[in-house]
Amino acid sequence: MNFYKKSLLFFLLISQSKVFSQSQQKLPDLYNIVWQEQSKNSSESMPLGGGDTGCNVWVENGEVILYVQRSGSLSENGEFLKMGRFRVNLNPNPFDGENSFRQELKLVDGFIEIESKKKVDPNSLNVKIKLWVDVYRPIVHIDVESNQKINATVEYESWRTEDKELTFGKERFGAFGLEGYPGKVIRTKDIFEQTNDGILFYHRNPDKKPVPEVYVKLQGLEAYADEIKDDLKNRTFGGLLFGKGFIANGTRVGKYKNTPFKSWGLKSETAKRKHKISIATHIAQAETVSEWKAKLLNTVESSKADHQKSFENSVLWWNDFWNRSYIVIQPGNANPKDSIWQIGRNYQLFRYQLGGNAFGEYPTKFNGGNLTFDSGLVDEEKAHGPDWRQWGGSVFTAQNQRLLYWPMLKSGDFDAILPQFELYLKGLLGATARVKEHFGHDGAVYCEYTSVPGIAFGDGWGWQNDQNYRIRGEEIPFGDPRANGAKAYNDLVEKGVMANGSIAYHWESQIEHAYMILEYHRFTGADITRYMPFIEKALIFFDEHYRARQKMRNAKELDENGKLVIFPSTSCESYRGAKNPVDVLSGLNACLTNMLTLSEKLLPSKRKEYYREYLNRIPNYAFEEVNGLRTIKPAESWIEESNQELPQFYPLFPFNQFKIGDTEIESFKNSYDLAPAFRKGTIMSWHQDGIQFARMGMTDAAADYNSKKLKNSERRYPTFWGPGHDWVPDHNWGGSGMIGLQEMLMQCFGNEILLFPAWPKTWDVNFKLHAPKNTIVEGIFKDGKIEDLKVFPESRLGDVRIVNHK
């Protein structure tokens, strides 16, 4: 049955009406976040970002406060630390409660404006504060402008003034890579100096540190130590707080949300109508502190000459960001209480959070990005200070991270997607060394909790202590007599395989990220020569590894049908001891098929022959009849079940093996209907039912799920979701919601572009999305009809199909 028809509604207008210009003019009114009251604490903060810097901004008790965090501020333990907290006071205080108050995120221009006016006398004190981040330089600016001369003070506050031991247990969770480590974990103190230039602050990782050194030793990889990238060695991060006309204002001590701090202050020498305060930052693996300071001061000096121009350039970058792509739902009905309008607004707000780390040295972390706040305000039992987060540190959980980066293809954020690719490229030498040493064959294997060194993180591998012992899969708690004298997890499992049962054989993610890069190439045509070594090594591993394992068992590398036997494996984290898991099979099929389409420059013909043969060795997916209904299985077989995932849907997303109209779509629907209740319907965090509903063409189910996924959070800022499974703000919550909305609107298979495959007729929408082959699709859908549709280049018009609505 043909579910498509070529639309007769396609047309290209001769007039040059701009769809985005219509939407952009409304965006400030539609989607800006405006608060008329001050915040109670940091949990009611507003995000501000640019380049690779994120800030939480709020006004509390008449003081403007902000946290500043940058991608790459990683301690010797791999903790992801903030630069610090900054507090601005004005005298006279315009936020004393007698004045009107307004705090607004100006979304299209990418900055925050805070304003106060006298309620009764407009000629009295009127103050505007503009907070913005230089997109091209790591500097946060606070510009104060008043109709009267006022004084200003600013303080830098730090809670890292002494060395601190991270105690065993939940406190260590903030340095997740060292959770369970049997030795002491010490976070060294920061350094602070009152200088002629301002207040200097920085953290420098000491020479003696645990990461990745203890990983290398634990895994027997000392011979490869020089090849394994150490991204924490000599890492120094911090900055300078300064302002023209500001002088030292002493120090003080205090406490914020039960966390003691010390502050260093600056004050304006004289009262003025304009004050400019700046926080310049620098991160580097510098050989000396002097070298680091010199680079920081260069950044400071470069900012002083062209302040206004820097602001204008940053605004232009954000304007261009919003011009790339958008989904504006119910544009003619701006009702913030309407759940359908909300999801269009929140799609934009969350994309702003991702755009704030477009140039990051590291990817945006799924569990809060650069925007976490005091942990006790998320969970009182986890009050470990402003830096702490669940699953913290320098490890990046791939199954979560991917959901932040898949939506960047259709939103056209091709610069912002690169930090995720770079993470895998940096780890290639370590991931290759691990295979060579432990398995004795070619290829690379990445831990699900991957990091720059590319080897397994400590608690995944298994520490040599009692806390992590287990007998026949049963976790044995610390102090249990059965654990006395226990050795490492790895004495109980195959050499080279991690002992953590959740991720021991969970290697699908390297396939998925190889496929993401191949799709990035298909969307943009960009040269991916840089990433080809990662792609090839990631794929070769499965061929080499499972041929070798099958030969150990049966003296033959392949089964009786000439196919690989992918065992032992796992289907996501849910189906363990799996044989031929469907997520791995569909990923290999997707990658290998794409590999065969690459240019001779990227992949020579001789290499393609290998991948063509490899593709022929991939087993078929496993289907079965259940209650007379055909279903797809998560694997051919498995030993035990865990977690809540539905990996049998990976052939739909992310791996594009079936599309609406294929006969097998019915099998996926049956599989969903018959799945256990605990595996489906959950809205929070990484759950992706809404994506799969869209891929199955289930319009009502997709609309219902995704409208719940992208509805306002329970916090003041609408897209600070969580904690869910993870933390606040939960970025993989937002990322999966973005993907779900995109897939309802547009799906791409080969050359084909399907529009409105799961889009309700009652949802008016203006949109602009990116498709493969440098294609842009813009449209207006109103009252159930397409009012305007443009495809660039026009030659792609014939590849577009409108899916019938039912």
Side-chain angles (χ1 to χ4, degrees), residues 12-83:
L12 292 171
L13 296 180
I14 298 176
S15 64
Q16 297 300 308
S17 62
K18 299 284 186 180
V19 176
F20 181 70
S21 65
Q22 297 170 7
S23 301
Q24 187 183 35
Q25 290 169 7
K26 300 175 184 176
L27 270 176
D29 297 328
L30 285 175
Y31 293 155
N32 283 6
I33 298 299
V34 178
W35 293 342
Q36 305 284 1
E37 296 179 353
Q38 297 181 35
S39 299
K40 296 177 182 177
N41 52 52
S42 60
S43 72
E44 295 188 352
S45 55
M46 180 180 285
L48 173 70
D52 68 350
T53 302
C55 307
N56 299 74
V57 178
W58 73 104
V59 179
E60 180 180 350
N61 296 326
E63 299 176 308
V64 179
I65 312 174
L66 61 155
Y67 282 121
V68 177
Q69 187 158 29
R70 269 192 70 192
S71 172
S73 52
L74 299 171
S75 77
E76 58 273 17
N77 306 313
E79 288 179 280
F80 190 17
L81 304 180
K82 293 187 179 299
M83 292 290 177

Side-chain angles (χ1 to χ4, degrees), residues 586-790:
S586 57
L588 290 173
N589 272 320
C591 283
L592 296 171
T593 300
N594 267 20
M595 292 284 276
L596 298 178
T597 68
L598 296 177
S599 68
E600 185 75 10
K601 176 187 173 183
L602 289 174
L603 192 66
S605 298
K606 289 184 179 180
R607 291 293 296 152
K608 284 184 182 177
E609 280 305 309
Y610 164 73
Y611 289 109
R612 188 172 287 109
E613 293 169 0
Y614 186 177
L615 181 58
N616 290 331
R617 290 193 287 272
I618 305 303
N620 295 324
Y621 309 129
F623 290 87
E624 68 175 348
E625 296 285 329
V626 178
N627 299 332
L629 299 173
R630 181 172 169 81
T631 64
I632 187 166
K633 298 173 66 176
E636 185 178 324
S637 62
W638 57 91
I639 295 173
E640 64 178 15
E641 297 185 23
S642 185
N643 215 336
Q644 297 176 261
E645 298 150 314
L646 286 168
Q648 54 267 55
F649 290 90
Y650 274 51
L652 296 182
F653 174 84
F655 293 125
N656 299 319
Q657 297 298 289
F658 301 95
K659 63 179 183 293
I660 296 170
D662 290 347
T663 56
E664 296 298 356
I665 289 296
E666 200 63 32
S667 300
F668 287 99
K669 291 181 179 179
N670 295 336
S671 299
Y672 190 86
D673 289 341
L674 295 170
F678 75 92
R679 291 195 184 278
K680 60 185 180 181
T682 303
I683 304 295
M684 64 185 180
S685 298
W686 46 260
H687 293 271
Q688 56 189 54
D689 303 42
I691 303 171
Q692 309 302 3
F693 288 146
R695 283 297 180 98
M696 292 186 284
M698 300 170 62
T699 300
D700 292 342
D704 179 67
Y705 185 96
N706 289 315
S707 62
K708 293 174 181 175
K709 193 66 176 279
L710 287 173
K711 74 176 183 179
N712 288 351
S713 74
E714 295 180 356
R715 302 184 186 278
R716 188 176 196 186
Y717 192 76
T719 56
F720 274 14
W721 295 288
H725 298 303
D726 303 313
W727 203 236
V728 180
D730 187 336
H731 279 60
N732 61 176
W733 187 320
S736 57
M738 282 186 71
I739 299 166
L741 199 63
Q742 290 175 348
E743 295 300 318
M744 290 173 64
L745 194 52
M746 185 179 78
Q747 298 174 17
C748 303
F749 302 91
N751 290 331
E752 200 167 37
I753 300 170
L754 310 183
L755 288 183
F756 311 109
W759 195 261
K761 286 185 176 180
T762 57
W763 288 16
D764 294 350
V765 62
N766 298 357
F767 69 94
K768 180 179 182 181
L769 293 173
H770 293 248
K773 296 186 174 182
N774 283 305
T775 302
I776 298 174
V777 181
E778 294 184 57
I780 296 176
F781 181 83
K782 186 176 181 181
D783 298 328
K785 298 178 182 179
I786 301 171
E787 288 198 351
D788 189 15
L789 189 64
K790 299 184 180 71

Side-chain angles (χ1 to χ4, degrees), residues 90-101:
L90 303 177
N91 186 20
N93 188 350
F95 307 116
D96 60 4
E98 297 180 2
N99 301 350
S100 65
F101 174 84

Side-chain angles (χ1 to χ4, degrees), residues 251-405:
T251 63
R252 69 181 181 93
V253 294
K255 184 178 286 189
Y256 185 77
K257 302 307 167 190
N258 296 319
T259 301
F261 68 85
K262 183 177 180 179
S263 73
W264 291 257
L266 298 175
K267 65 179 180 180
S268 56
E269 291 185 276
T270 60
K272 296 188 297 184
R273 291 187 177 184
K274 291 184 179 181
H275 297 283
K276 296 189 184 301
I277 301 165
S278 299
I279 307 157
T281 63
H282 183 54
I283 302 175
Q285 289 186 258
E287 288 295 327
T288 65
V289 171
S290 296
E291 175 189 324
W292 178 85
K293 287 181 179 178
K295 293 288 181 65
L296 171 65
L297 292 177
N298 286 342
T299 299
V300 171
E301 289 304 313
S302 69
S303 72
K304 293 179 179 179
D306 55 359
H307 185 90
Q308 183 60 27
K309 186 64 175 177
S310 294
F311 172 70
E312 292 170 0
N313 287 340
S314 295
V315 167
L316 286 173
W317 187 90
W318 281 110
N319 292 169
D320 178 70
F321 178 81
W322 295 114
N323 193 37
R324 296 175 187 176
S325 174
Y326 52 88
I327 298 176
V328 180
I329 303 176
Q330 311 291 52
N333 181 32
N335 179 5
K337 294 182 179 180
D338 177 46
S339 62
I340 308 306
W341 184 88
Q342 268 183 29
I343 66 176
R345 188 269 311 272
N346 292 347
Y347 175 96
Q348 315 289 153
L349 293 183
F350 182 71
R351 184 166 167 246
Y352 174 75
Q353 290 171 221
L354 295 179
N357 190 37
F359 302 151
E361 180 185 357
Y362 292 81
T364 300
K365 282 202 64 130
F366 71 95
N367 53 351
N370 292 338
L371 297 169
T372 59
F373 47 83
D374 298 83
S375 57
L377 296 174
V378 177
D379 186 335
E380 291 182 358
E381 295 182 0
K382 299 171 182 175
H384 301 301
D387 294 313
W388 194 92
R389 68 180 81 196
Q390 291 191 147
W391 320 99
S394 57
V395 293
F396 294 80
T397 312
Q399 284 286 305
N400 304 68
Q401 288 293 133
R402 67 196 182 96
L403 295 169
L404 282 62
Y405 286 90

Side-chain angles (χ1 to χ4, degrees), residues 94-95 98-102 115-122 124-128:
F95 307 116
E98 297 180 2
N99 301 350
S100 65
F101 174 84
R102 180 181 177 89
E115 185 176 12
S116 177
K117 292 181 179 179
K118 279 286 186 183
K119 293 179 180 179
V120 292
D121 184 1
S124 296
L125 182 63
N126 178 11
V127 173
K128 282 186 179 180

Side-chain angles (χ1 to χ4, degrees), residues 424-435:
Y424 281 84
L425 187 61
K426 291 171 185 174
L428 181 58
L429 288 176
T432 303
R434 199 178 143 203
V435 174

